[in-house]
């Protein structure tokens, strides 16, 4: 048979020659190791879904308003001119601060009568624009079309299908008896108008003002915007500017609701990423470790080390890429509706292509790396020990089992099972690590949800304030109230259903000696019932007291008990810091009304926050407010916090995904371990154990591991929560009161600890029972 | 021994003072051995004396701690892992006591794989494997997975795999150890036939009868050293 003694003289095939052999072995591995293939596929699938959701989340929470605002090329400054005084071309004159301008657009006001069904009665701002686009304030025309002829109107509504019923609605107003038909719904983050019509239609409504929209080069602070406004109007005839609106005011409005949850969502995003990576690494690493004998055989056969690595990478990457591809698609589908809700129905949050690309490429890279590290160990390993190490020879393992058996009197399957994990410490450590990680992950995720719920309720002040009554302002062409400030408060207190009323004034003022203005929120009435959470000190009780956010105090270098001097124009007054709020903007302080009186005796409240009696009907109450004074504009605060519901839905989805991934990780490790011990099981049966005893023994050993892992993992999760939550809060300038961190309770923790046992038992039961049922001979001669 | 390979350039194996230590334990303690092309050599000795270690050195599955191992004119100690793999797939065929078949692949593919590794297309590799299966009398078991084969059948698949690339040297580590005496005989007869048509053979066995029947030379190992060598006369 040997034609040549040194056959390599035939000319060698290169290392690439065996590519077909590599693929054949890998394919056979994928087909024949169904549990491993399925687990790798499903784990990568779930992980990819959570990564897509988490990345989408991170992307949208990183600056939802700014991103949406930039996408719309929103107007940093909306200026309203008197068309009689300012010539139409004048406002557009180049000013260095202005990078883009749009307008002038004719602006008129129509009055919606009480008889119109679907629209709130009162004044409605109408602006004439030829289309939704332009260099500034590109409206998101998310439903219907732009008006083409007189009588057609587009309303400003957030992109939420809920509003679609408005399409086609007809209504008449005194200013246009022929009426309007709603042909479209658009959303403007700049809040430049409440509705739009064709320019011709706007002219017909006898516009009272002309609107200009500006984008500014630098518009980070109120001062920037104010400076730009001054520069723009400097060249204009005196009195031609009727009013301006800064996007920062709009942004603050959004901030209060959306940004409250951002640190938690970001935390969840990061957790999702980290856990997905670790578990994929664990599962893939386990598959390679379990294949050491296989690796040795391939090497003995003449597979080069690189080819062995290739076989293992291929065996993992086939199911992994399928899982990653499917996960990216499903993740995108799952994230869309959730992210729309994160936009809080105010603006559309788009998932950019990089999220998909990063998830797909990132997961593949992670899997490759995770497989590569142990595969490279196989690369270095000489073939001889690998063949004998995991080998079919019953000597090593058999002897160990026999020794165990002689130590413990038969039949004692339970005590034997408890001893088994110590027989192979490396495998046991891997299993234990999987359980600990799984239990810790689920614990941390559950804790984050709990903290988030508590924080959300506090930040949103659910149940404390039911409706906020805004005061119409003439400068925005709104109907001013008939009553004075004190009169409105008295009026509201007199209305049936009112329980508490707090009057608010938001006023720009200075800390003496500092050029940057700050925002003062001055409170009168029942301010203690607003539900602001105080984390240090106490709430306002008298004149000369103030409360501020941790960010403000840190910036100013102040503590509870310190005093500072506030100025408004020439007036000055002192205030003492008596408390710290849980969160808030770095330039916002809360102070008692009498502090404002000291600065500006004539200041008036701009809104009134009302808590209603539990049985009061909100709609009826609003109608009563409008009837009492048409200049009052009530806005309901939702009783159940929709944002919290959405965000917790998100957190739950991630928790479930991470839990599934963790459970699969444990399941996989346990199945592999049990499989490996099939020969031991055969040996045990050969010396007289019943199949039932074998199953009990195996399940007991894994349950013990599961219990140990759960007991270790839950405290690890709780500890991680204690570290992560305050760190997250600090990053977001929030100080968490203790009750938001101590969200743990025994009914929550016990099932979490038990989950490890349940998963381990399930993972052990199936393969142990099938091994126990096999005839001894099959087990002993197999593999 | 030196007189042997001085005038014979066709040495397939030349070990020179090979030592192998595992930690403090010495598995091989200065073994020198030469095997000429076409020879059949049997290695015998008590359990743990280093027989498998010796075979692993010759197959390039492990490296000597000191000393040189030259196979087919190549110094294995100087080669990289990859070079060793390429060398092994072309020059060495191995048969193990416990078969070491790949569980995931059916019998025929297990054998064909060895040829595919050297760049032979899958179809041709299977044809060649089938030829060998025919000769070994296991052609009807070609689609069975290893777990469904008897021990003797598995060992014949392993022999077929070892012969796929017409190796210069066939190494067999207790090839009959896991087989009943009838299957053992069959495998031994097979090895004898192979040697008679020129296959160089190095065989480890416990069975002195089998060793004397099929080997032309007998090497006795004890405590990692060669303690005796006999040339056997037979006209089989
Ligand atoms: N990978 C290893 N690590 C540590 N010691 C080893 C290793 N391989 C072999 N040994 C030791 O080297 C010595 C020789 O082992 P080897 O397997 O070569 O013996 P053997 O002659 O083949 O025995 P048997 O007839 O039982 O198969 C033994 O003492 C063994 O314990
Ligand atoms: Mg041996």
């Amino acid at each position: 048979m040997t034609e040549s003694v040194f056959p390599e003289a035939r000319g060698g095939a290169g290392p690439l020659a065996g590519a077909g052999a590599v693929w054949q072995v890998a394919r056979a591995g994928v087909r024949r190791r169904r549990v491993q293939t399925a687990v790798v596929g499903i784990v990568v699938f779930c992980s990819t879904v959570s990564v897509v959701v988490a990345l989408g989340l991170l992307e949208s929470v990183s600056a939802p308003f700014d991103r949406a605002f930039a996408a719309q090329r929103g107007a940093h400054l909306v200026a309203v001119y008197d068309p009689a005084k300012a010539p139409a071309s004048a406002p557009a004159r180049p000013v260095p601060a202005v990078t883009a301008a749009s307008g002038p657009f004719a602006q008129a006001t129509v009055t919606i009568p009480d008889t119109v069904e679907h629209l709130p009665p009162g004044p409605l701002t109408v602006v004439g624009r030829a289309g939704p686009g332009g260099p500034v304030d590109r409206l998101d025309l998310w439903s219907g079309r732009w008006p083409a002829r007189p009588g057609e109107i587009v309303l400003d509504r957030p992109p939420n299908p809920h509003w679609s019923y408005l399409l086609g609605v007809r209504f008449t107003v005194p200013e246009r008896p022929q009426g309007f038909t709603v042909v479209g719904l658009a959303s403007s983050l700049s809040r430049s108008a409440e509705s739009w019509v064709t320019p011709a239609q706007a002219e017909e409504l006898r516009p009272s003002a002309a609107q200009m929209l500006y984008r500014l080069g630098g518009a980070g602070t109120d001062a920037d915007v104010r400076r730009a406004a001054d520069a723009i109007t400097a060249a204009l005839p005196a009195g031609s500017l009727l009013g301006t609106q800064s996007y920062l005011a709009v942004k603050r409005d959004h901030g209060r609701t959306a940004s409250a949850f951002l640190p938690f969502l970001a935390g969840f995003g990061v957790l999702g990423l980290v856990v997905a990576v670790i578990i994929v690494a664990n599962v893939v690493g386990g598959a390679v470790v379990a294949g050491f004998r296989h690796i040795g055989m391939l090497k003995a056969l003449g597979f080069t080390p690189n080819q062995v690595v290739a076989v293992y990478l291929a065996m993992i990457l086939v199911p992994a890429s399928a899982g990653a591809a499917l996960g990216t698609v499903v993740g995108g589908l799952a994230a869309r509706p959730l992210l729309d809700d994160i936009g809080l129905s105010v603006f559309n949050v788009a998932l950019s292509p990089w999220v998909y690309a990063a998830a797909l490429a990132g997961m593949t890279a992670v899997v490759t790396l995770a497989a590569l590290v142990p595969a490279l160990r196989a690369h270095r390993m000489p073939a001889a020990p690998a063949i004998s190490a995991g080998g079919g020879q019953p000597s090593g393992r058999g002897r160990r089992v026999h020794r165990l058996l002689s130590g413990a009197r038969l039949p004692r399957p339970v005590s034997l099972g408890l001893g088994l994990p110590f027989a192979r410490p490396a495998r046991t450590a891997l299993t234990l690590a999987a359980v600990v990680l799984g239990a810790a992950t689920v614990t941390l995720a559950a804790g984050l949800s709990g903290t988030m719920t508590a924080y959300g309720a506090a930040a949103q002040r659910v149940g404390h304030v039911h409706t906020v009554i805004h005061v119409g302002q003439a400068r925005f062409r709104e109907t001013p109230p008939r009553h004075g400030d004190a009169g409105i408060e008295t009026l509201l207190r007199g209305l049936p259903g009112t329980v508490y009323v707090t009057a608010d004034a938001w006023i720009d003022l200075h800390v003496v000696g500092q050029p940057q203005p700050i925002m003062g929120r001055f409170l009168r009435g029942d301010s203690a019932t607003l539900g602001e959470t105080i984390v240090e000190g106490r709430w306002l009780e008298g004149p000369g007291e103030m409360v501020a956010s941790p960010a403000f105090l840190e910036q100013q270098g102040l503590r509870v008990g310190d005093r500072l001097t506030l100025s408004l124009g020439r007036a000055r007054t002192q205030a003492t810091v008596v408390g710290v709020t849980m969160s808030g903007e770095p330039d916002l302080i809360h102070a008692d009304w009498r502090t404002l009186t000291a600065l500006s005796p004539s200041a008036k409240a701009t809104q009134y926050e009302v808590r209603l009696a539990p049985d009061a009907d909100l709609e009826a109450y609003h109608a009563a407010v409008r009837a009492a004074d048409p200049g009052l504009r009530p806005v309901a605060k939702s009783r159940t916090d929709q944002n919290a519901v959405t965000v917790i839905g998100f957190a739950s989805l991630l928790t479930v995904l991470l839990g599934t991934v963790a459970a699969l990780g444990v399941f996989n490790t346990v199945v592999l371990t049990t499989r490996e011990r099939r020969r031991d099981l055969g040996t045990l049966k050969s010396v007289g154990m019943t199949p039932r005893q074998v199953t009990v023994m195996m399940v007991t050993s894994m349950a013990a591991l599961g219990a140990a892992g759960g007991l270790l993992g839950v405290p690890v999760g709780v500890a991680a929560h204690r570290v992560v939550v305050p760190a997250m809060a600090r990053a977001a300038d929030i100080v968490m009161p203790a009750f938001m961190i101590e969200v743990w309770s025994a009914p929550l923790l016990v099932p979490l600890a038990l989950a490890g046992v349940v998963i381990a038992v399930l993972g052990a039961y199936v393969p142990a029972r099938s091994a126990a049922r096999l005839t001894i001979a099959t087990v002993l001669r197999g593999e | 021994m030196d007189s042997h390979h001085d005038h014979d350039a066709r040495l397939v194996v030349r070990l020179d003072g090979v030592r192998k230590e595992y930690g403090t334990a010495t598995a091989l303690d200065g073994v020198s051995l030469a095997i000429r092309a076409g020879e059949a050599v049997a290695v015998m000795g008590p359990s743990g004396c280093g027989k498998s270690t010796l075979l692993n050195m010759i197959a390039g599955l492990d490296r000597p701690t000191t000393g040189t191992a030259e196979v087919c004119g190549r110094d294995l100690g100087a080669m990289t892992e990859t070079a060793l793999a390429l060398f092994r797939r072309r020059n060495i065929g191995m048969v193990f006591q416990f078969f070491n078949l790949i569980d995931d692949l059916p019998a025929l593919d297990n054998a064909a794989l060895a040829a595919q590794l050297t760049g032979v297309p899958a179809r041709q590799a299977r044809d060649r494997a089938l030829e060998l299966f025919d000769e070994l009398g296991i052609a009807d078991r070609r689609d069975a997975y290893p777990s469904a084969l008897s021990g003797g059948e598995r060992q014949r698949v392993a022999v077929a795999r070892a012969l796929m690339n017409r190796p210069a040297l066939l190494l067999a580590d207790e090839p009959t150890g896991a087989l009943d005496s009838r299957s053992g005989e069959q495998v031994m007869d097979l090895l004898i036939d192979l040697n008679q048509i020129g296959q160089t053979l190095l065989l480890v066995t416990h069975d002195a009868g089998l060793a004397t029947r099929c080997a032309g030379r007998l090497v006795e190992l004890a405590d990692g050293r060669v303690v005796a060598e006999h040339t056997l006369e037979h006209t089989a």
Side-chain angles (χ1 to χ4, degrees):
Chain A
M1 269 188 179
T2 41
E3 291 127 25
S4 151
V5 178
F6 302 128
E8 64 186 325
R10 282 177 296 189
L16 276 180
V22 167
W23 176 238
Q24 195 181 354
V25 173
R27 205 181 47 195
V30 167
R31 253 191 294 121
R32 300 262 300 166
R33 298 166 191 213
R34 295 209 194 94
V35 173
Q36 178 188 305
T37 301
V39 166
V40 168
I42 296 173
V43 163
V44 173
F45 168 78
C46 287
S47 302
T48 313
V49 172
S50 17
V51 166
V52 169
V53 171
L55 280 182
L57 205 55
L58 285 178
E59 194 204 15
S60 22
V61 301
S62 54
F65 181 84
D66 291 332
R67 279 177 1 105
F69 191 75
Q72 281 197 8
R73 295 190 52 78
H76 293 118
L77 183 68
V78 177
V80 181
Y81 300 96
D82 184 340
K85 292 187 184 150
S89 62
R93 247 179 43 181
V95 170
V98 174
T99 57
S102 184
F105 303 119
Q107 177 178 321
T109 307
V110 298
T111 312
I112 308 278
D114 282 342
T115 50
V116 171
E117 208 175 320
H118 298 295
L119 297 173
L124 179 79
T125 320
V126 184
V127 164
R129 269 173 73 166
V136 184
D137 189 27
R138 291 180 188 156
L139 306 177
D140 175 13
L141 182 62
W142 58 271
S143 179
R145 58 173 177 82
W146 197 251
R149 57 187 69 85
E152 294 182 340
I153 192 165
V154 162
L155 297 178
D156 181 25
R157 287 291 183 280
N160 184 329
H162 159 72
W163 295 107
S164 298
Y165 72 89
L166 287 171
L167 272 189
V169 164
R170 295 184 49 85
F171 61 94
T172 51
V173 292
E175 293 83 352
R176 181 180 161 86
Q178 308 95 305
F180 284 107
T181 305
V182 179
V183 295
L185 300 170
S187 129
S188 162
L189 272 189
S190 316
R191 285 196 195 157
S192 56
E194 292 169 307
S195 65
W196 294 271
V197 294
T198 60
Q201 172 69 79
E203 287 305 329
E204 204 182 283
L205 293 171
R206 277 189 282 130
S208 52
Q211 179 189 72
M212 279 298 298
L213 310 172
Y214 300 103
R215 277 185 74 75
L216 307 177
T221 65
D222 284 311
D224 289 340
V225 177
R226 229 185 332 256
R227 254 197 310 280
D230 290 346
I232 291 167
T233 50
L236 296 177
S240 58
L241 182 72
L242 296 174
T244 60
Q245 174 185 292
S246 161
Y247 84 107
L248 287 171
V250 180
K251 186 178 171 180
R252 258 180 219 117
D253 243 25
H254 285 301
R256 176 97 196 170
T257 50
S259 69
F261 292 104
L262 299 197
F264 297 100
L265 293 176
F268 254 106
V270 172
L271 178 70
L273 281 173
V274 170
V275 169
V277 167
I278 295 180
I279 298 216
V280 165
N282 181 295
V283 167
V284 172
V288 175
V289 170
F292 268 3
R293 193 173 86 95
H294 186 236
I295 290 166
M297 286 176 351
L298 293 178
K299 282 193 166 180
L301 201 59
F303 277 75
T304 65
N306 286 338
Q307 285 175 326
V308 172
V309 171
V311 165
Y312 270 78
L313 284 186
M315 251 162 64
I316 299 299
L317 282 179
V318 166
S321 4
L326 199 63
T328 308
V329 174
V330 173
L333 293 179
R336 258 329 299 220
L338 285 167
L339 290 179
D340 280 347
D341 282 344
I342 291 288
L344 303 168
S345 304
V346 176
F347 41 82
N348 270 318
V349 179
L351 206 58
S352 21
W354 76 259
V355 167
Y356 298 109
L360 198 57
M363 271 329 271
T364 314
V366 163
V367 173
T368 309
L369 276 180
L372 208 53
V373 172
L376 284 179
R377 236 168 85 204
H379 182 282
R380 287 191 303 272
M381 189 176 62
I387 301 176
S388 46
Q393 291 94 329
S395 50
R397 259 190 262 178
R399 253 182 257 134
R400 204 178 294 128
V401 174
H402 281 299
R403 223 183 304 128
L404 261 169
L405 282 173
S406 56
R409 230 180 304 136
L410 265 176
R412 281 174 58 192
V414 172
S415 62
L416 255 180
L418 290 174
L420 267 191
F422 300 100
R424 210 165 305 143
R427 202 10 105 205
T428 301
L430 199 66
T431 314
L432 200 61
V435 184
V436 169
L437 182 68
T441 302
V442 177
T443 306
L444 175 55
L448 272 180
S449 286
T451 302
M452 219 158 76
T453 314
Y455 175 76
Q460 301 293 308
R461 295 182 281 141
V462 173
H464 291 280
V465 172
H466 297 135
T467 181
V468 179
I469 318 292
H470 296 268
V471 174
Q473 296 195 33
R475 63 191 177 117
F476 295 140
R477 303 267 141 178
E478 294 166 350
T479 315
R482 278 193 237 121
H483 298 73
D485 184 10
I488 295 171
E489 192 181 334
T490 316
L491 179 159
L492 290 174
R493 286 192 190 281
L495 283 179
T498 304
V499 179
Y500 296 117
V501 177
T502 308
D504 275 29
W506 296 71
I507 308 266
D508 277 347
L509 70 165
H510 280 84
V511 174
V512 166
Q514 293 182 4
Q516 288 290 329
I518 60 167
M519 177 69 76
R521 180 190 181 202
F522 295 94
L523 301 163
R524 187 181 69 210
D526 310 318
S527 80
T529 67
L530 285 179
E532 288 285 353
T533 306
I534 295 295
V535 291
E536 195 193 333
R538 57 169 173 79
W539 183 245
L540 308 170
E541 280 172 8
E545 294 183 347
M546 62 167 275
V547 159
S549 64
F552 178 87
L553 295 179
E554 186 177 331
Q555 239 174 47
Q556 303 281 338
L558 293 172
R559 290 186 200 184
V560 172
D562 289 348
R563 317 193 105 215
L564 80 173
T565 308
L566 302 170
S567 74
L568 181 62
R570 295 239 180 103
R572 291 185 176 204
T573 189
Q574 289 213 315
T576 306
V577 179
V578 296
V580 184
T581 56
M582 178 174 66
S583 61
E585 289 76 27
D587 60 349
L588 175 67
I589 64 165
H590 309 265
D592 186 86
W593 190 266
R594 283 159 285 188
T595 311
L596 178 60
T597 318
L599 292 168
S600 165
S602 63
K604 286 190 211 124
T606 47
Q607 63 181 42
Y608 303 83
E609 306 194 37
V610 178
R611 188 188 310 179
L612 298 177
D615 56 348
D617 174 15
L618 193 66
E619 283 309 313
Y621 186 83
H622 282 182
V625 169
R626 280 192 293 261
D629 189 333
L632 296 181
R633 319 175 118 208
V635 177
K637 278 192 86 97
S638 55
R639 273 171 204 239
T640 58
D641 183 356
Q642 192 51 46
N643 301 334
V645 170
T646 300
V647 166
I648 284 157
F650 226 118
S652 312
L653 174 76
L654 280 172
T655 307
V656 166
L657 280 174
L658 294 180
T660 309
V661 166
L664 275 173
V666 175
F667 185 79
N668 178 62
T669 317
V670 173
V671 168
L672 278 182
T673 308
T674 313
R675 279 262 172 97
E676 259 187 12
R677 294 210 171 125
R678 273 161 62 127
R679 181 168 283 274
D680 293 356
L681 302 186
T683 312
L684 287 169
K685 277 178 72 182
S686 73
V687 297
M689 269 192 154
T690 67
R692 197 191 160 80
Q693 284 174 317
V694 167
T695 310
V696 167
M697 182 198 72
M698 208 56 220
V699 168
T700 310
S701 86
M702 288 304 146
L705 273 187
L711 285 179
L712 277 172
V714 168
V716 168
V718 172
H721 181 259
R722 290 236 165 100
V723 173
V724 166
V725 166
M728 236 158 56
R730 251 196 314 283
D733 281 319
I734 297 170
V735 173
M736 290 256 157
F739 77 90
M740 287 185 194
I741 296 174
E742 308 298 330
V743 292
W744 307 106
S745 60
L748 184 65
L749 289 180
V750 170
L752 282 175
L754 286 180
V757 179
V758 172
I759 296 167
V761 165
L762 280 181
Y765 182 70
V766 178
R769 206 182 53 158
S770 76
R773 279 181 174 175
L774 286 176
T775 52
I776 301 166
T778 317
V779 177
L780 289 183
R781 67 196 270 273
E783 16 212 57
Chain B
M1 243 175 67
D2 277 357
S3 59
H4 279 301
H5 51 81
D6 273 350
H7 60 258
D8 195 336
R10 289 167 65 91
L11 277 185
V12 179
V13 176
R14 207 181 103 185
L15 299 187
D16 202 0
V18 168
R19 263 184 82 82
K20 179 67 188 180
E21 290 162 10
Y22 291 107
T24 55
T26 305
L28 289 179
D29 187 9
V31 172
S32 298
L33 180 68
I35 300 173
R36 276 165 288 130
E39 257 197 304
V41 177
V43 178
M44 295 195 64
S47 182
C49 69
K51 305 181 295 289
S52 297
T53 309
L54 181 72
L55 242 57
N56 287 342
M57 294 296 143
I58 295 172
L61 291 177
D62 216 337
R63 291 162 191 277
T65 311
T66 60
T68 55
E70 230 177 80
V71 180
C72 300
R74 307 277 305 269
D75 179 0
L76 300 189
M79 290 161 75
T80 65
E81 281 292 319
T82 304
L84 278 175
L86 297 179
F87 169 82
R88 193 156 52 231
R89 63 167 77 142
R90 289 218 165 271
N91 299 287
I92 309 278
M94 279 195 94
V95 180
F96 304 89
Q97 178 176 1
F98 293 101
F99 329 121
N100 279 338
L101 296 178
I102 293 172
D103 301 328
D104 302 333
L105 291 175
L108 193 70
D109 288 349
N110 250 291
L113 196 63
Q116 282 172 267
L117 273 176
T118 64
V120 176
R123 169 83 74 85
Q124 270 165 266
R126 287 213 183 92
D127 287 348
R128 159 116 180 106
L130 202 53
E131 262 171 49
L132 287 168
F133 271 39
D134 261 333
E135 285 178 38
L136 298 175
I138 46 170
D140 55 327
R141 306 295 284 143
R142 64 187 183 212
D143 293 325
Y145 282 90
S147 56
L149 295 174
S150 78
E153 286 166 341
R154 284 188 221 183
Q155 198 58 300
R156 276 178 281 172
V157 172
V159 171
R161 182 177 68 179
L163 296 176
M164 280 299 287
N165 296 324
R166 301 184 173 89
L169 178 62
L170 182 61
L171 301 172
D173 192 348
E174 309 211 23
T176 61
L179 303 180
D180 62 54
S181 57
R182 209 178 64 85
S183 311
E185 292 276 336
Q186 278 177 356
V187 169
M188 264 319 168
D189 287 343
L190 188 66
L191 294 179
I192 293 168
D193 289 349
L194 286 169
N195 178 240
Q196 293 209 318
I197 55 171
Q199 175 69 59
T200 314
L201 186 64
L202 179 57
L203 173 74
V204 168
T205 180
H206 273 116
D207 187 330
L210 284 179
T212 46
R213 248 187 63 206
C214 75
R217 188 145 59 97
L218 210 132
V219 176
E220 268 185 56
L221 228 55
D223 287 338
R225 293 166 191 269
V226 178
V227 291
E229 260 194 87
H230 318 277
T231 306
L232 303 169
E233 298 289 332
H234 47 96
T235 48

